[in-house]
């Protein structure tokens, strides 16, 4: 019995040590493994034209045009604002209900 | 009758309040946008001058110096021409909107006055009929109610028919946008031609 028990314990020890070793190998592999980072492809940044170039001057005037166009687009809200009095005017037509007289 | 007249008057006052608030909102919006454009133009002017100064430093011969000056003058004039044209387009739009709003107000006020007059006339007629024939009160009442109904429905239908303000403003917007687009296109053509002329003066080098 004692001999069997000793053998069993030895076997368990071997298994435990083997599991521990496997675990350590896994952890080692995980840390060691270099995750290949996808090379960040630098976004191709458009290089602004050099100050003093005609291209730079063209950019400025284009920006001015675009900026003013954006402001003009805001004028579209004027239509809704202008018509905001329509309901108030229509309400005058509900000043009385002749059928209740 | 007094209540009807009071209601009409009260609702007209409410309408006037809404109109005043609307006009203030429109004026404030327009002033803000005008200021935005003015501020951005000032900034573009400053940056353009920085670029002009750098560009002038590239000229090494008298011909090139003259060419740069011509380019700057042409471009500046083109910018000013575009700005003037666009400002005129915006002013025309604003004036058109103001005129449309004034027309609508006049129409509403006229329709409201017609409603009040019709109600008053119905009451006067009913009163005179009662005095002339007190025994006919039922028929007189029916006529009175029918008159009030006609007056009210006329007002409601007239308001519905006066729904052209939105279309008017849309048309004004289209006219303004078309004028601005033309001015911008003309400017870009002038700027392109000026750039080409300048490059030729520098022997088509990158400038």
């Amino acid at each position: 019995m004692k001999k069997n028990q000793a053998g069993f314990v030895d076997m368990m020890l071997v298994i435990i040590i083997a599991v521990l070793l496997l675990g350590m190998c896994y952890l080692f592999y995980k840390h060691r493994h270099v995750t290949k980072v996808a090379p960040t492809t630098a976004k191709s940044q458009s290089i602004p034209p050099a100050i003093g170039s005609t291209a730079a001057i063209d950019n400025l005037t284009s920006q001015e045009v675009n900026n003013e166009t954006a402001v003009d687009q805001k004028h579209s809200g004027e239509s809704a604002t202008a018509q905001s009095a329509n309901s108030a005017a229509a309400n005058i037509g509900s000043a009385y209900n002749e059928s209740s007289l | 009758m007094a209540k009807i007249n009071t209601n009409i008057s009260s609702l007209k006052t409410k309408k006037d309040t809404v109109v005043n608030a609307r006009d203030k909102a429109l004026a404030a919006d327009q002033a803000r946008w005008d200021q935005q454009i003015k501020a951005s133009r000032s900034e573009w002017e400053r940056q353009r001058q920085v670029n002009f100064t750098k560009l002038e430093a590239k000229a090494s011969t008298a011909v090139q110096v003259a060419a740069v000056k011509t380019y700057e003058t042409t471009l500046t004039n083109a910018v000013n021409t575009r700005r003037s044209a666009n400002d005129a387009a915006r002013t025309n739009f604003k004036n058109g909107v103001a005129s449309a709003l004034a027309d609508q107000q006049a129409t509403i006020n006229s329709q409201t006055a017609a409603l009040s007059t019709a109600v008053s006339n119905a009451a006067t007629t009913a009163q005179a009929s009662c005095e002339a024939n007190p025994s006919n009160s039922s028929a007189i009442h029916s006529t009175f109610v029918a008159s009030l109904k006609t007056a009210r429905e006329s007002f409601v239908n007239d308001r519905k028919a006066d729904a052209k303000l939105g279309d008017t403003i849309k048309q004004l917007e289209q006219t303004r946008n078309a004028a601005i687009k033309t001015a911008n296109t003309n400017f870009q053509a002038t700027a392109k031609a000026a750039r080409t002329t300048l490059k030729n003066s520098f022997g088509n080098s990158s400038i």
Side-chain angles (χ1 to χ4, degrees):
Chain A
M1 269 304 276
K2 272 192 181 174
K3 207 174 178 182
N4 282 343
Q5 271 183 336
F8 177 74
V9 169
D10 287 341
M11 193 175 67
M12 288 306 297
L13 277 172
V14 167
I15 291 171
I16 289 167
I17 290 168
V19 168
L20 282 172
L21 279 173
L22 278 173
M24 282 170 62
C25 285
Y26 171 72
L27 288 171
F28 179 74
Y29 171 78
K30 201 174 171 188
H31 276 288
R32 180 70 188 273
H33 176 71
V34 175
T35 308
K36 282 188 181 170
V37 176
T40 48
T41 49
K43 285 184 185 173
S44 57
Q45 295 176 3
S46 55
I47 301 169
I51 295 177
S53 65
T54 53
I57 294 169
D58 284 346
N59 267 6
L60 284 176
T61 47
S62 291
Q63 284 173 45
E64 180 179 341
V65 168
N66 292 341
N67 187 69
E68 290 192 18
T69 301
V71 174
D72 287 328
Q73 290 304 315
K74 293 178 190 175
H75 277 287
S76 301
E78 273 180 323
S79 183
T81 305
Q83 297 182 76
S84 61
N86 283 353
S87 295
N91 281 347
I92 297 174
S94 61
Y96 60 84
N97 183 354
E98 65 281 345
S99 59
S100 65
L101 293 173
Chain B
M1 271 310 300
K3 190 163 188 286
I4 291 176
N5 288 329
T6 301
N7 284 350
I8 291 175
S9 180
S10 169
L11 288 169
K12 184 177 179 300
T13 300
K14 279 185 184 172
K15 184 269 298 178
D16 289 339
T17 302
V18 170
V19 164
N20 287 339
R22 174 198 67 188
D23 292 346
K24 273 188 184 161
L26 281 175
D29 284 344
Q30 287 168 358
R32 186 172 72 248
W33 295 324
D34 285 348
Q35 180 54 36
Q36 283 180 8
I37 288 178
K38 187 180 171 188
S40 81
R41 282 179 179 177
S42 179
E43 177 58 18
W44 301 134
E45 281 301 327
R46 187 191 67 76
Q47 291 191 32
R48 196 163 19 246
Q49 197 50 56
V50 168
N51 278 270
F52 280 170
T53 303
K54 290 257 181 189
L55 181 63
E56 287 163 10
K58 296 182 181 180
S60 55
T61 68
V63 169
Q64 289 176 349
V65 167
V68 168
K69 280 294 173 198
T70 299
Y71 170 75
E72 290 176 6
T73 302
T74 303
L75 200 63
T76 301
N77 288 344
V79 166
N80 291 336
T81 299
R82 183 186 68 80
R83 287 176 177 178
S84 295
N86 290 356
D87 288 347
R90 290 187 190 102
T91 299
N92 289 341
F93 171 76
K94 276 189 259 188
N95 290 343
V97 169
S99 179
L101 293 179
D103 285 348
Q104 189 209 39
Q105 266 297 89
T107 301
I108 293 172
N109 290 341
S110 170
Q111 290 166 349
T112 305
L115 174 65
S116 293
T117 300
V119 166
S120 177
N121 288 345
T124 303
T125 301
Q127 192 172 0
S129 298
C130 273
E131 286 170 1
N133 198 353
S135 62
N136 203 16
S137 60
S138 178
I140 293 169
H141 179 261
S142 296
T143 302
F144 174 60
V145 167
S147 296
L148 289 181
K149 183 179 178 187
T150 300
R152 186 179 59 74
E153 287 179 345
S154 286
F155 177 85
V156 169
N157 291 337
D158 287 346
R159 284 311 312 140
K160 282 181 185 169
D162 185 33
K164 55 186 185 305
L165 182 63
D167 292 338
T168 301
I169 293 179
K170 269 199 174 65
Q171 264 182 326
L172 290 168
E173 280 177 0
Q174 285 168 1
T175 301
R176 180 201 66 204
N177 293 344
I180 287 177
K181 190 176 175 185
T182 298
N184 290 345
T185 302
N186 290 344
F187 165 75
Q188 281 161 353
T190 303
K192 187 178 176 186
R195 187 168 68 248
T196 303
T197 302
L198 180 66
K199 281 187 174 178
N200 289 343
S201 301
F202 276 74
N204 279 326
S205 65
S206 166
I207 186 169

